[in-house]
Amino acid sequence: MKKFRKVLDGLTTSSPGGTMGSPSCGSAAGTPTAAPTPKDIDVQETLVSENFQLCKTVRHGFTYQPTALAFDPVQKILAIGSRSGGVRILGRPGVDCYCQHESGAAVLQLQFLINEGALVTACADDTLHLWNLRQRRPAVLHSLKFNRERITFCHLPFQSKWLYVGTERGNTHIVNIESFILSGYVIMWNKAIELSTKTHPGPVVHLSDSPKDEGKLLIGFEGGTIVQWDLRAKKADFRIYYDEAIHSVSWHHEGKQFMCSHSDGSLTLWNPRNTTKPFQVTFPHGKIQKDGRKESCKPILKVEYKTSRNSEPFVIFSGGLSYDKAGRRPALTIMHGKAITVLEMDYPIVEFMVLCDTPYINEIQEPYAVVVLLEKDLIVVDLTQSNFPVFENPYPMDIHESPVTCTAYFADCPPDIIPILYSIGAKHKKTGYSQKEWPIAGGTWTLGSHTYPEIIITGHADGSIKFWDASAFTLQMLYKLKTSKVFEKPKLGEGRGADLGEEDPFAVQMVSWCPHSRIFCVVGISAHIILYRFSKYDANTQTVSLEVRLQCEPEDIITPSENENNPCFSEPGSHSPQPHHQNPVSPGSRTPDGAKDSTPFLKVKDKMVRVPPGYQSDLVIQLLWVDGEPPQQITSLDINSAYGLLAFGNCNGLAVVDYIQKTVILCISTVDLYGATDPYQRLTRSPRRNRQSTSGLTELTDNQQSIDMERSKSPTSDHVNGHCTSPTSQPCSAGKPRIPMGPEGPRLTRRGPGRPPFRKAQSAACMEISLPVSHTEESRENSFSRSRSSSVSSIDRDTKEAITTLQFGESYGRKSDALPTPCLWVGTSLGVVILIPLSIPMDHEERLEDPVTVGPSGAVQMLKGSVLRFAFLDCNGALIQSPYEIWRDQNAPEDPDRPRRRKLVHFSPSSSQDAFGEGHLTVVCSERQAKVFLMPSQSCLFVHNITESSFVLRADVVSLCNSVCLACFCANGHVMTLSLPSLRPLMDVNYLPLTDMRIARTFCFTNEGQALYLSSPTEIQRITYSQEMCDNLQEMLGELFTPIETPEAQNRGFLKGFFGGNAHTFDREELFGEAAAGKASRSLAQHIPGQGGVEGMKVAASGVVGDLARARVALDERGQRLGELEERTTLMMTSAETFSKHAHELMLKCKDKKWYQF
């Protein structure tokens, strides 16, 4: 037991022997192993489990599949409900809150308790919820579940505590908002309609108070029946039976008329005093045809009738367009006097709401804006200007403008990068927006103390790249880059329908960005890489194109032979960077459609173009078609600005490009990387010309280490990105730089045998990982949960080795090296780590002219599963950053006194050591395992089996609390952190029990304990795994509720108040309370207490601290209630004084009059 504790504390070290076959526990976290090492590594690790806690922070983007909309006109906050049960509450920029119903039922309707800091939600599971918004993290206070009826419509009058609930059966129930208990007062549908009516009126689609009298409730039924119900007399004042179905109703503020929208595209205007027929019927978009009949129109789904003090009333509605005009976009129509304005929308309208100055329905409304909720956007129209411009949306609602295909997250960036990107991006912003301030300006938000520059990069299916400022839990777009501008537009209809060329040829697969040097690299789905440099000046440039032949010969297929135990190693010199030329393919042999061989997917523009300031393309690298078959997708990429090198790999091999000299210095197959250090015994095979795509490449011997390693692979090991079908037994050809010219070759109409096509560029929401064993839909769905222990047992199993990760850095290429040199670390899908030393001229002039040379492959190590991540630590446990070049603007004017030279920043492993050349630690993480090696001895110090039942999708070495740790996200939804270098488990949280490929493709860790992923096709969810950030989260979030005095109602005048009826003396409590109405049936609805109504109650510990917290909250609530009581008392006193004043005036007028003078 003592020894085990010492292992966990990282006080002992492990031997390099026996690492692959080390026993492991069946738990999710695994067990670390340790043994004596050649060198004592004494690292004081400061991170402990108490430093970690996982929680969600903020969600950015547009609400996915929105369903409902609500607005508080006093607090000026907006709520959006979604089909998945989410509620998004928005205020001023920075005030952005996301809530989720536990049931996940769709939100049907939202109702604010205006200026009360509360929200009622009605969900598709027939449950009402009351949310408390007076805390930064809203929580449910009460829930009411209807058992026998389905909720269709809700209405909450202003300053009322009684909620009207209409149901599918046509009944109207009343709920007390304070207690969330159903009243015994019910308006039954058969009482509302006449007894002589033979048909059911349908579900309730509208409920509203009469502006003249709060005691009159207008009920609209879907079948066309409208009833005004007298709540006091419990009878109907009038009933309207109309032929067309009703969708919505809207009152004039005086209560003398109301407007209905119908299913035939008509608007009807009714007078409550004469309900025999509407006094006005209009078809706003129904023109009269030649035969005298009107055009048939679509239903008007909603109408709002708003009055204005200084102009004609506004009639605003959605729908109602004629059926005859096919292809017309959804529209919002604004009728203002005789003018009719049709605003066409890009997406279908889900809901709209007119924003008015007053919350009182019996006052002139004065509309100033319309919020329009679309299926994929949110826009606000300014009604105060005649041309109805839209407001510029301060929220990042256009993340999904094109489907997101990849993400990258950078915390603690250089402070100057955000202002520079913003200044460049601001020049390309759209114009024509309303000059007024954004009207949804509720809540308060202040910049927290724990802020630092953060940038999120999203890649999209159309080839665009967006840079976002993500500092302080906000998101604002800085700069947009269109990678498609580098290429000529692909020609459609050339027989390439099976390939992705026709739909999304520019889709972004991955990005690599160095914030210090501002070098940016993009990998596209058409097997292309674009390297960008940043400049503050525009320039005339011609992009250099480099073509790489990273494909293997069809003649070099290998099959089993008799000598199964004889290893077949590559020759030592096979990895040299010299190009290897292939024999040309005879016409028609493999390309029956006459396609031109050795051509890339896309054609780079070959003319000089003027490029604006910002990121400007410097080099394009494209993989070529070979033998009529497309190149495989690129699976790994790394770029180093100090070295001037770019490395990338795929299923076929590895290529290294010198982007300064624009040359390929290495282009080699994966097998040839090993040289004489190949850890596998590869079987000799005889040639087969027409092979199937499932032909094997390597077979494993009976060596237990190799078998365990092979069994541990995840689905990404065998089929990275769904395409790993090429043999890798022969060297590949290097490319050549050129300026592209000449016409593009003809497209191929079908693929070569055994080669899968490029997939259509999909959003990250729907990309899949192909399983090696079965390609059925069921097996793909289970790819995250099933064990892969039996994945490699057949001789025909596909075991091609892809390059899965690359990392440049200063290291020791050989055990005998005394000083670190530039190296390239290569990780493969078979769990093999290869170290390639590089020789780079460091003098400025020599670097521009002398070639970069590649040495023979150095160390070879093995892990379980595909290698995912490399990182380097010094012997004190500090993270060693990759060297980089300080940014310099190549388009800046030349200064003769200061020649432009490269300035490099190196972080040598020996720079932080007291003794020169003490070495460094290398952290390697694979899908199953993490290892720490000591360089240059290459001895394994620590091993940790991360998971046995699943596999790691994403791993990163991140800095946190002035230390470093290894963060992992597994396919089973677990988020883990391990200490470095001892690999002690620090946190293991089952965060996402069910995951999918959208999350797997977009999950990113970054420094300071933050991470993100795409929670839906339109939303980015940010999380933190730092205890410190969780503790400060309340400070960093915005306040939804701010104390605002409710505006006073307009003075109605003495005569209007005295003789205008008893609208203000209507007492709902007297009618709906238990004393008058009795109790509702218990079987009708069930009251469910909320789980978290008080902020911080869950966090408060049990015992004295918890009791104190509860007492303090109770005291606050009591004080709040006392304050409300005081406000009500003041209002009653003011009302009494007014009444006394009017009574005294009346008495003075009448005291001297005789009885006959009255």
Side-chain angles (χ1 to χ4, degrees):
M1 181 60 70
K2 290 183 179 179
K3 182 179 179 182
F4 183 67
R5 286 177 179 169
K6 290 180 71 178
V7 169
L8 288 180
D9 292 338
L11 299 177
T12 61
T13 51
S14 66
S15 69
T19 58
M20 297 304 296
S22 58
S24 60
C25 181
S27 63
T31 54
T33 58
T37 61
K39 178 181 176 65
D40 291 328
I41 302 297
D42 186 15
V43 177
Q44 297 297 324
E45 296 180 1
T46 58
L47 290 178
V48 292
S49 298
E50 287 72 22
N51 294 120
F52 296 91
Q53 181 184 344
L54 190 70
C55 68
K56 295 180 181 179
T57 54
V58 68
R59 182 174 292 206
H60 302 297
F62 179 76
T63 303
Y64 184 56
Q65 295 179 331
T67 56
L69 185 69
F71 181 72
D72 187 327
V74 179
Q75 289 289 319
K76 295 191 181 301
I77 55 177
L78 186 79
I80 302 172
S82 73
R83 192 177 300 174
S84 60
V87 178
R88 190 83 170 273
I89 304 173
L90 303 171
R92 67 176 67 249
V95 179
D96 188 342
C97 179
Y98 176 80
C99 317
Q100 176 68 43
H101 291 91
E102 291 184 1
S103 64
V107 178
L108 299 180
Q109 197 175 352
L110 300 166
Q111 283 278 324
F112 275 106
L113 277 66
I114 296 176
N115 204 28
E116 295 290 337
L119 175 71
V120 175
T121 59
C123 296
D125 60 352
D126 306 310
T127 306
L128 298 173
H129 304 274
L130 178 64
W131 292 82
N132 179 15
L133 307 184
R134 293 183 178 237
Q135 53 193 55
R136 300 189 186 224
R137 290 277 181 141
V140 174
L141 288 171
H142 301 283
S143 297
L144 188 66
K145 168 74 173 174
F146 281 74
N147 297 323
R148 296 185 298 184
E149 298 197 54
R150 309 216 64 182
I151 299 172
T152 56
F153 195 87
C154 297
H155 169 61
L156 180 66
F158 178 46
Q159 293 181 328
S160 168
K161 67 176 183 179
W162 297 95
L163 173 73
Y164 301 113
V165 181
T167 67
E168 193 174 39
R169 292 185 181 180
N171 302 326
T172 301
H173 299 276
I174 301 170
V175 179
N176 187 310
I177 290 298
E178 294 179 351
S179 62
F180 238 57
I181 296 176
L182 208 58
S183 168
Y185 193 112
V186 183
I187 306 173
M188 304 299 291
W189 68 271
N190 53 356
K191 298 287 182 64
I193 64 173
E194 291 179 341
L195 295 176
S196 60
T197 307
K198 296 181 180 180
T199 59
H200 190 280
V204 176
V205 296
H206 176 80
L207 293 168
S208 63
D209 291 335
S210 168
K212 290 179 65 176
D213 188 351
E214 294 177 344
K216 306 292 179 68
L217 181 67
L218 193 70
I219 307 173
F221 298 92
E222 188 180 57
T225 302
I226 300 174
V227 177
Q228 179 166 289
W229 184 263
D230 189 332
L231 294 169
R232 301 183 196 86
K234 299 183 181 180
K235 66 176 185 178
D237 284 347
F238 64 80
R239 298 179 178 92
I240 296 173
Y241 299 97
Y242 196 66
D243 296 335
E244 295 295 335
I246 294 174
H247 287 281
S248 69
V249 182
S250 182
W251 278 99
H252 187 278
H253 82 276
E254 292 180 347
K256 296 179 180 180
Q257 58 190 26
F258 59 87
M259 183 176 288
C260 302
S261 67
H262 300 279
S263 57
D264 62 346
S266 66
L267 296 173
T268 57
L269 206 56
W270 299 83
N271 186 343
R273 295 184 177 181
N274 182 12
T275 58
T276 55
K277 65 176 182 178
F279 69 86
Q280 182 179 328
V281 180
T282 57
F283 288 82
H285 296 295
K287 297 180 180 178
I288 299 177
Q289 298 176 339
K290 294 181 179 179
D291 56 2
R293 295 184 301 172
K294 284 187 177 293
E295 289 180 318
S296 58
C297 297
K298 299 176 183 178
I300 295 179
L301 301 178
K302 184 178 179 180
V303 64
E304 292 216 26
Y305 188 18
K306 301 297 180 183
T307 53
S308 180
R309 183 173 287 103
N310 299 319
S311 66
E312 295 288 328
F314 284 87
V315 177
I316 303 171
F317 61 89
S318 61
L321 299 177
S322 62
Y323 281 105
D324 295 341
K325 296 181 180 179
R328 286 192 67 174
R329 295 190 292 179
L332 182 79
T333 305
I334 302 175
M335 299 172 62
H336 189 212
K338 295 182 179 180
I340 299 179
T341 304
V342 179
L343 304 178
E344 290 191 338
M345 304 295 169
D346 294 330
Y347 307 102
I349 298 174
V350 176
E351 173 74 286
F352 76 89
M353 185 162 289
V354 180
L355 309 187
C356 302
D357 283 334
T358 176
Y360 297 95
I361 61 171
N362 57 358
E363 296 180 356
I364 297 175
Q365 299 296 287
E366 290 293 348
Y368 58 90
V370 184
V371 179
V372 187
L373 178 63
L374 307 176
E375 279 191 359
K376 295 185 178 180
D377 201 0
L378 177 74
I379 65 171
V380 182
V381 181
D382 186 356
L383 293 179
T384 62
Q385 301 182 42
S386 58
N387 59 339
F388 303 127
V390 298
F391 290 89
E392 185 176 7
N393 199 327
Y395 314 123
M397 295 291 184
D398 56 347
I399 292 175
H400 61 286
E401 184 179 17
S402 174
V404 178
T405 52
C406 74
T407 58
Y409 192 8
F410 299 88
D412 209 5
C413 300
D416 60 335
I417 191 69
I418 290 179
I420 289 177
L421 287 174
Y422 182 80
S423 63
I424 297 294
K427 299 176 182 177
H428 305 285
K429 280 195 171 183
K430 296 179 182 179
T431 57
Y433 293 110
S434 172
Q435 298 301 313
K436 295 195 173 183
E437 291 186 1
W438 179 252
I440 305 167
T444 55
W445 179 79
T446 55
L447 194 65
S449 58
H450 300 270
T451 58
Y452 39 82
E454 299 174 72
I455 287 181
I456 294 174
I457 301 175
T458 56
H460 301 265
D462 63 352
S464 60
I465 303 286
K466 292 181 180 179
F467 290 78
W468 305 85
D469 178 9
S471 308
F473 286 165
T474 61
L475 195 70
Q476 182 181 11
M477 195 171 80
L478 297 172
Y479 176 73
K480 183 176 180 180
L481 174 67
K482 295 182 179 179
T483 63
S484 58
K485 290 186 175 181
V486 176
F487 303 99
E488 294 185 0
K489 190 174 181 180
K491 297 178 181 179
L492 302 179
E494 294 188 355
R496 293 276 312 286
D499 300 314
L500 75 102
E502 286 193 4
E503 303 216 10
D504 296 311
F506 310 112
V508 179
Q509 273 191 302
M510 65 181 79
V511 297
S512 179
W513 185 48
C514 177
H516 301 282
S517 63
R518 301 180 191 173
I519 295 286
F520 185 58
C521 211
V522 180
V523 175
I525 202 169
S526 296
H528 65 270
I529 301 173
I530 310 175
L531 186 141
Y532 289 91
R533 293 179 182 268
F534 187 84
S535 175
K536 295 190 290 186
Y537 304 92
D538 54 0
N540 293 317
T541 62
Q542 187 173 9
T543 304
V544 177
S545 176
L546 197 62
E547 295 179 350
V548 178
R549 189 183 176 93
L550 197 60
Q551 199 90 357
C552 301
E553 297 289 350
E555 291 81 5
D556 298 322
I557 310 305
I558 49 179
T559 55
S561 67
E562 297 178 358
N563 298 326
E564 289 190 357
N565 294 324
N566 293 334
C568 179
F569 295 113
S570 305
E571 297 193 10
S574 62
H575 55 269
S576 61
Q578 283 77 19
H580 301 265
H581 301 284
Q582 294 184 338
N583 296 324
V585 179
S586 59
S589 60
R590 293 293 295 270
T591 57
D593 299 297
K596 188 180 293 185
D597 196 15
S598 299
T599 57
F601 241 120
L602 303 169
K603 188 174 187 298
V604 180
K605 291 180 180 178
D606 55 358
K607 58 183 179 181
M608 191 78 69
V609 292
R610 187 80 174 174
V611 291
Y615 273 104
Q616 302 167 352
S617 59
D618 183 64
L619 175 67
V620 176
I621 304 168
Q622 292 180 284
L623 298 185
L624 300 176
W625 286 62
V626 177
D627 302 327
E629 297 180 0
Q632 296 298 311
Q633 293 181 6
I634 295 167
T635 57
S636 57
L637 170 76
D638 191 40
I639 187 170
N640 189 280
S641 57
Y643 302 159
L645 299 179
L646 181 152
F648 64 93
N650 65 1
C651 298
N652 294 332
L654 169 71
V656 181
V657 174
D658 183 346
Y659 66 79
I660 295 178
Q661 299 184 17
K662 307 293 190 297
T663 58
V664 179
I665 63 173
L666 180 66
C667 183
I668 192 170
S669 67
T670 313
V671 174
D672 294 325
L673 278 173
Y674 294 110
T677 60
D678 194 340
Y680 297 107
Q681 295 186 9
R682 304 183 189 263
L683 306 183
T684 307
R685 294 172 180 258
S686 58
R688 280 186 305 183
R689 186 158 304 265
N690 294 325
R691 68 175 182 92
Q692 298 298 320
S693 63
T694 55
S695 300
L697 164 67
T698 60
E699 295 299 332
L700 304 178
T701 66
D702 292 334
N703 183 291
Q704 184 61 38
Q705 291 184 0
S706 301
I707 293 175
D708 288 345
M709 184 278 303
E710 183 64 24
R711 285 178 176 174
S712 67
K713 291 188 301 175
S714 77
T716 53
S717 304
D718 295 333
H719 293 251
V720 178
N721 292 329
H723 304 285
C724 290
T725 56
S726 304
T728 53
S729 58
Q730 287 293 324
C732 305
S733 301
K736 54 186 183 300
R738 70 179 184 92
I739 303 296
M741 56 178 55
E744 187 178 7
R747 302 281 187 184
L748 221 65
T749 56
R750 72 180 181 90
R751 308 184 304 273
R755 187 75 54 154
F758 268 99
R759 292 173 299 164
K760 173 189 171 184
Q762 300 165 319
S763 73
C766 53
M767 290 187 176
E768 296 177 342
I769 287 178
S770 300
L771 286 175
V773 179
S774 171
H775 295 281
T776 63
E777 193 67 31
E778 181 182 359
S779 63
R780 277 198 293 267
E781 291 175 358
N782 298 332
S783 61
F784 284 98
S785 58
R786 62 182 297 173
S787 171
R788 304 192 61 260
S789 60
S790 61
S791 61
V792 182
S793 58
S794 169
I795 197 170
D796 293 325
R797 197 57 49 87
D798 212 353
T799 56
K800 297 169 181 61
E801 191 171 12
I803 307 297
T804 55
T805 185
L806 297 164
Q807 181 71 54
F808 286 105
E810 300 282 317
S811 188
Y812 300 85
R814 298 167 187 81
K815 294 183 180 180
S816 58
D817 288 352
L819 297 175
T821 58
C823 293
L824 174 63
W825 288 76
V826 181
T828 75
S829 58
L830 295 185
V832 180
V833 177
I834 305 169
L835 185 56
I836 301 176
L838 304 169
S839 178
I840 304 174
M842 300 312 295
D843 183 75
H844 178 70
E845 284 75 15
E846 291 179 355
R847 181 64 187 87
L848 297 177
E849 298 177 0
D850 294 352
V852 176
T853 58
V854 180
S857 300
V860 175
Q861 304 290 343
M862 290 194 296
L863 288 85
K864 294 180 181 179
S866 297
V867 181
L868 299 179
R869 187 65 59 197
F870 295 113
F872 310 114
L873 309 177
D874 62 24
C875 289
N876 292 325
L879 184 66
I880 302 174
Q881 296 184 18
S882 297
Y884 61 86
E885 175 189 3
I886 297 176
W887 174 72
R888 54 194 175 94
D889 198 333
Q890 293 189 328
N891 297 331
E894 290 283 353
D895 187 352
D897 298 331
R898 299 179 61 184
R900 191 179 297 162
R901 301 177 65 87
R902 300 178 71 223
K903 296 180 181 179
L904 308 182
V905 176
H906 284 270
F907 299 92
S908 173
S910 60
S911 60
S912 61
Q913 310 296 324
D914 296 332
F916 185 75
E918 285 195 359
H920 70 90
L921 303 176
T922 299
V923 181
V924 186
C925 184
S926 73
E927 290 175 328
R928 296 292 181 91
Q929 218 175 30
K931 288 188 177 183
V932 176
F933 297 97
L934 176 63
M935 304 299 290
S937 67
Q938 302 178 10
S939 57
C940 181
L941 302 184
F942 300 97
V943 182
H944 181 80
N945 295 319
I946 299 173
T947 178
E948 295 295 335
S949 59
S950 184
F951 56 92
V952 178
L953 288 169
R954 182 77 188 214
D956 285 290
V957 173
V958 294
S959 61
L960 178 68
C961 300
N962 298 319
S963 187
V964 291
C965 65
L966 175 65
C968 303
F969 173 60
C970 294
N972 59 6
H974 283 250
V975 177
M976 307 177 186
T977 56
L978 306 173
S979 68
L980 290 176
S982 66
L983 299 177
R984 287 182 297 111
L986 297 173
M987 183 187 73
D988 184 359
V989 178
N990 188 6
Y991 174 63
L992 292 170
L994 293 176
T995 186
D996 55 32
M997 280 314 303
R998 178 186 64 248
I999 297 174
R1001 294 278 179 182
T1002 57
F1003 199 100
C1004 298
F1005 289 104
T1006 189
N1007 295 329
E1008 308 302 331
Q1010 294 204 72
L1012 66 79
Y1013 60 92
L1014 213 65
S1015 58
S1016 73
T1018 62
E1019 295 168 290
I1020 291 176
Q1021 177 68 59
R1022 291 167 68 176
I1023 63 174
T1024 181
Y1025 48 95
S1026 164
Q1027 178 68 57
E1028 182 183 4
M1029 183 165 288
C1030 289
D1031 294 340
N1032 297 314
L1033 189 59
Q1034 298 297 325
E1035 174 194 343
M1036 303 174 76
L1037 296 175
E1039 287 272 7
L1040 292 174
F1041 179 79
T1042 52
I1044 300 175
E1045 187 176 348
T1046 302
E1048 294 183 2
Q1050 294 177 1
N1051 188 5
R1052 306 179 71 215
F1054 173 71
L1055 291 177
K1056 231 175 190 180
F1058 199 74
F1059 299 107
N1062 54 355
H1064 290 279
T1065 61
F1066 175 61
D1067 187 0
R1068 292 185 176 90
E1069 180 70 33
E1070 185 179 333
L1071 283 175
F1072 306 145
E1074 186 176 332
K1079 291 184 177 180
S1081 172
R1082 291 187 178 181
S1083 60
L1084 184 61
Q1086 176 189 0
H1087 177 258
I1088 305 170
Q1091 296 295 322
V1094 181
E1095 183 180 19
M1097 194 62 78
K1098 290 182 179 179
V1099 183
S1102 60
V1104 178
V1105 177
D1107 292 338
L1108 286 174
R1110 294 184 190 94
R1112 182 178 178 183
V1113 171
L1115 191 62
D1116 291 343
E1117 290 183 347
R1118 183 166 178 255
Q1120 182 180 335
R1121 285 196 290 267
L1122 287 174
E1124 293 175 355
L1125 182 61
E1126 185 179 354
E1127 290 177 3
R1128 292 178 185 175
T1129 305
T1130 306
L1131 289 173
M1132 290 177 65
M1133 290 177 63
T1134 305
S1135 179
E1137 288 175 3
T1138 305
F1139 180 76
S1140 175
K1141 180 181 177 182
H1142 290 320
H1144 183 68
E1145 292 175 354
L1146 187 62
M1147 183 267 294
L1148 291 177
K1149 287 182 179 179
C1150 301
K1151 72 174 183 175
D1152 295 329
K1153 292 184 179 180
K1154 304 297 181 181
W1155 61 270
Y1156 52 82
Q1157 291 178 324
F1158 284 98

